[in-house]
Amino acid sequence: MQSRIDTFKFDSASSIASQVSKGRVSAMEITEQHLARIKSLNSDLNAFITVSDNLARSQAEKIDKKFKNGETLGPLAGVPIAIKDNIVVRGVETTCASKILKGWTPPYNATVIDKLIEADAVIVGKSNMDEFAMGSSTEHSAFGPTKNPFDLDRVPGGSSGGSAAAVAANLVPIALGSDTGGSIRQPAAFCGVLGLKPTYGFVSRYGLVAFASSLDQIGPFAKTIEDMKLLMTVISGHDSNDSTSLNFETTPVLNPSKTDIKGLRVGIVKEFNEGLTSNIAVSLKNAIEKLQVAGAVIEEVSIPSVKFCLSAYYLIAPAEASSNLARFDGVRYGARENGDNVEQMMIATRTKGFGDEVKRRIMLGTYALSKGYYDAYYKSAQQVRTLVIREFSKVYSSVDILLSPTTPSTAFKIGEKLDDPMEMYLSDIMTIPTNLAGHPAINVPFGSDDSGLPIGLQIMAPALKDGKLLSIANFLLSQEGN
Ligand code: GLN
């Protein structure tokens, strides 16, 4: 097994920012170091679709100039960051890993990008993903699969596989991904890094190319809790450009330093414990023991509706995708194929431009929304969603958080599940319920399997308890391997 996990000295985002702010190192030096590392490893990993070296250098130059002028630098001063290629950055090609967007350069920044620039971060590139974020392995990318840095024959998970692999292999200390049904947490689990799906509405979706708008959320990848907190603090908050953005009277606290495990009520979801591989079951058991020793109260809980979540998700997400993706028609964005008339041009563009998985979802979603089937499929799926929300809220009246594995298995081999969509969909069985409920959830690396592949545990909490997740993840990280 060939790996790209090496002895490169990892420097966290918070440490880089503090050094750059004090003038101990320039933003340009940090940028060049990371661009060189990307250059040497990206041909093996394929974590980036585009390396934005010009943009990165010009941002670094501006930051260094600011420092020389005596200005105070932002909280991410000189920190290199990778951006999933479905989040728009002005002037840098955004492809969503699809041929249909080839050549499309957005004229504006996503809100999260404006916030990152304001915080003096340095955008080094656009990371690989499953086409339009549909997938669990990054194999559905028109630009070829990303490789798992722990084993190049394995997938990094998906759909934000490029971001997860880039952080795992120290190409960047932090990255952004998007999570509709698990696309931050599942790749974070496969690559042994932290990945958070924030509460729905906590981070603006303006400038995130929509897959399933009622589920999509942008979130951070990092290796330390401090970096997760730093990045979340920068990207979160109300945005009038996103009608689903939450407007808080008081901003939720993201302070992970107060870890009070004593008396914490931890629920273990019974339904998630079936069919786990023995390595994963052992990791979960170890984590439960550590929590117990620290004074947490463990309780087994049941959320019966989780068994319907996968089916409900694969109706709701494709239904929303089928209407969101109608805009890619050869007129407004990117590629265009020739045709005898407008309709033929659109058909040819969409037939050639979209990959198989995207077409599968569009067909499924259009079918689920069509007259005569709407009540049977889409409406029932929405009813399941309501049921899930109710059951979660009932469970959260007796426990503070829920703990489960993030995935039923560790990273699988490239090609292993490609011909069996149902098998691929099952990768997200434990992550999808929180998307349906709109709650936050985090992946925490905790142990590894017999082949040395990372295992991830998922902590879930009620809406806006994102800070609590960080603090409990902090505790678990401190216990890993003890
Ligand atoms: N793997 C799931 C899917 O294919 C989730 C994707 C995501 O979260 N973007 O839809």
Side-chain angles (χ1 to χ4, degrees), residues 53 105 284 293 351 387 464:
D53 31 9
T105 302
L284 179 64
V293 168
T351 308
L387 193 64
L464 296 177

Side-chain angles (χ1 to χ4, degrees), residues 11-19 21 73-81 112 115-116 119-121 173-176 194 196 203 220-236 254-256 470:
D11 216 356
S12 69
S14 34
S15 141
I16 292 175
S18 116
Q19 293 173 61
S21 301
L73 298 184
L76 288 172
V79 176
I81 183 167
V112 290
K115 287 179 179 244
L116 286 170
D120 288 326
I174 50 173
L176 288 186
L194 291 159
L196 170 74
V203 177
F221 287 94
K223 282 192 166 169
T224 71
I225 295 291
E226 195 54 39
D227 284 2
M228 293 292 276
K229 180 191 160 192
L230 194 57
L231 186 48
M232 267 306 282
T233 308
V234 168
I235 63 172
S236 60
L254 279 167
N255 191 357
L470 293 179

